[in-house]
Amino acid sequence: MTEANVLVVLDGVGESLKKSQLELLSAGRLLGTVSVAATAPVGEAVLAQLRENGAAAAYVPDGADLSEYLVGPTAAWLAEVVSASEAQGRPVRAVLLDNSPTGRETAARLGVRLGAGVITDVVGLEPDGTAHKSVLAGSYEDRARATSPVSILTLKANLDLGSPAAPAPGSAAVTPVAVPADALTRSARVTGRAAKVSSGRPDLTEARVVVAGGRGTDGDFGPVEELADALGGAVGASRAAADAGWVSHDLQVGQTGKTVSPQLYISAGISGAVQQKAGMQTAKVIVAVNSDPESPVFEIADFGVVGDLFEVLPQATAEIKRRRG
Amino acid sequence: MGDTLKIVVLVKHVPDAQFDRHIGPERTLDRSESILSELDEYALEAALQLTDARGGDKGGNEVIALTMGGPDAANALKKALQIGASSGVHLSDEALAGSDAWATSLALAAAIRSLGEVDLVITGMASTDGETSLVPAQLAEHLGLPQLTFASSLEVSGRTVAIQRDGEGVTETVEAELPALVSVTDQANEPRYPNFKGILAAKKKKIATLSLAEVGLDAGQVGAAGSLTAVESAKPRPPRAAGTIITDEGDAGVKLVDFLAAQKLI
Ligand SMILES: Cc1cc2nc3c(=O)[nH]c(=O)nc-3n(C[C@H](O)[C@H](O)[C@H](O)COP(=O)(O)OP(=O)(O)OC[C@H]3O[C@@H](n4cnc5c(N)ncnc54)[C@H](O)[C@@H]3O)c2cc1C
């Protein structure tokens, strides 16, 4: 697939590109020449980053604010972008999106529009477009490919790309593409938004370190948060902890929560039920602290401590601070 | 037609995650030890709450449980009928085996079209085997429906459906006109269990079996032939090398940091 044209979809672009968005661009370069479809207009700083990262074109929506709708109109617009790219002599062979729920659903609807195969939960990518995909709650890894002329892949953060070449600068020429009006008529509209309080910690799904607490915290997430902060990591939780109202459901890791693949996952006071493992067992290194030696989490831990999290976590936090001086 | 609702709920027969799950030599999932997907119970409950509030079946409402799969998949329908669905529809054809999300959603869309006008399609947030969340969105696209996915609550008033959902850092309210597709999370409700009355009542309820031809599709459009993705290999993840387990003797926090340092994680 090398030297194919690859469309990288960037959703929720802020003042500058996030690490996971830069990673999508690297993944795109592994497969070919990258163009970008940003779901909202982008600023000059982002354009400069896109040029540095080799983007040949940047498509932005024209005529409607896609953020007012759930995925349907975005998928319809992306289908237009694919046509526009083809009309400019750049037929798209692959579309890459992030693996968030929105990314996967946008991919799903775009797949139907383009008659393109969709592969989700991609954890590794080969230059010929073969994807490594984590399945069955992370217990299996498939190698899969789309058999259609266009393939659509949704990529997890901290993806394995081998060693991608450094980018040659691209022009990132901005091309507005109209949002098709009929896409908006039968769509779900966002009629209200209430922002939640931000913790200031890194985003859970892309964090390199996650410290997660469960029912064993008994509602006191202090030791979990302090260790996360000492490690510059994000805080996660089991469903039991989220259901108890101790932390926001946003922090839930697992089958019905977020899937994370950090370098390090520290599980504290979590038993390690299958639904919890589903969200974290692709972490590179797993550390578990649990007072019950029979807890299933120890079956997957690289380093396990049978002990009280209220003793072990604060001591570890203090030790990290001491070593850093 | 007053305030009645005709709702299709998708139910799937999936391997029980409590047991070790295996991918067989044909690169397809071993489906012994299967159950009604837990995540679909929330979809069924959501449908039942909406119709209960409008007088249930007697009030002219309908909750149709729809599944696609081999003969065993009928077990998921039976459970759904026991819990309270009005009737079941089983799309069953050997040619469907090995369908990817594209082929599955194409077939389910055809089955739903064959049921006439439907107000709502409700699904779980994901299947517990495929886990992709692709099917609800692809189904919505095939049927030309607005999708309101990952609902933590939903409400229908008149011809408008409104949901709440947790976005990244925000809670959103989303609305659409019926007909629409809604997927619900495990936060949406507490699913009810089948009771004795429900189990008896289920025996009188109908399960219609549909073939591919009856929904207007042919074998080439589904199964491996109609799929747009192919799995080349499936390997169990290498088991994690046996880790070190220590018992805290007062210094486990320090040992934990030693381990992190040795792994170059700090
Ligand atoms: C459909 C469905 C979806 C689900 N989705 C998810 C999901 O996304 N994520 C998820 O996490 N779960 C999910 N679950 C729930 C899951 O099955 C478990 O119930 C849940 O993960 C248990 O959380 P826990 O480990 O915190 O609690 P418990 O199982 O109660 O475990 C608490 C642990 O803390 C330990 N402990 C207690 N005190 C201390 C102490 N002082 N120091 C150290 N250790 C201590 C105990 O030994 C125990 O192992 C789902 C379940 C269903 C049915």
Side-chain angles (χ1 to χ4, degrees), chain A residues 213-217 237-241 252-257 268-276 289-292 295 307-310, chain B residues 38-39 42 186:
Chain A
R215 202 188 320 260
T217 62
S238 72
R239 173 164 151 187
Q252 181 179 319
V253 172
Q255 185 192 10
T256 54
I270 300 180
S271 57
V274 276
Q275 295 92 345
Q276 156 71 207
V289 180
N290 193 303
S291 49
D292 174 8
S295 273
D308 184 347
L309 73 92
F310 291 100
Chain B
E38 278 173 319
L39 296 177
Y42 298 90
D186 57 340

Side-chain angles (χ1 to χ4, degrees), chain A residues 123-151:
Chain A
V123 294
L125 203 54
E126 296 175 27
D128 71 351
T130 304
H132 297 240
K133 162 180 167 66
S134 137
V135 292
L136 285 185
S139 61
Y140 273 77
E141 194 170 304
D142 282 0
R143 285 174 77 244
R145 343 174 20 102
T147 52
S148 46
V150 180
S151 49

Side-chain angles (χ1 to χ4, degrees), chain A residues 74-167:
Chain A
T74 305
W77 175 71
L78 287 170
E80 297 292 315
V81 171
V82 169
S83 305
S85 179
E86 166 133 34
Q88 293 177 339
R90 278 196 292 262
V92 172
R93 287 287 158 263
V95 182
L96 308 185
L97 302 95
D98 66 57
N99 197 52
S100 65
T102 300
R104 291 199 306 258
E105 291 191 339
T106 306
R109 289 189 82 129
L110 181 63
V112 171
R113 286 190 171 254
L114 300 180
V118 181
I119 300 176
T120 59
D121 296 296
V122 174
V123 294
L125 203 54
E126 296 175 27
D128 71 351
T130 304
H132 297 240
K133 162 180 167 66
S134 137
V135 292
L136 285 185
S139 61
Y140 273 77
E141 194 170 304
D142 282 0
R143 285 174 77 244
R145 343 174 20 102
T147 52
S148 46
V150 180
S151 49
I152 303 179
L153 310 177
T154 69
L155 313 184
K156 288 198 172 193
N158 301 324
L159 173 86
D160 182 3
L161 292 174
S163 35

Side-chain angles (χ1 to χ4, degrees), chain B residues 163-213:
Chain B
I163 68 153
Q164 297 278 335
R165 73 197 307 258
D166 273 328
E168 203 51 64
V170 291
T171 307
E172 294 169 330
T173 312
V174 182
E175 284 184 17
E177 294 305 303
L178 299 182
L181 178 141
V182 174
S183 82
V184 299
T185 71
D186 57 340
Q187 299 301 310
N189 51 50
E190 257 329 305
R192 67 191 75 177
Y193 292 106
N195 57 25
F196 184 64
K197 219 175 114 208
I199 293 169
L200 280 186
K203 296 200 167 127
K204 300 203 193 84
K205 294 178 182 172
K206 289 202 180 61
I207 293 182
T209 306
L210 295 176
S211 68
L212 261 188

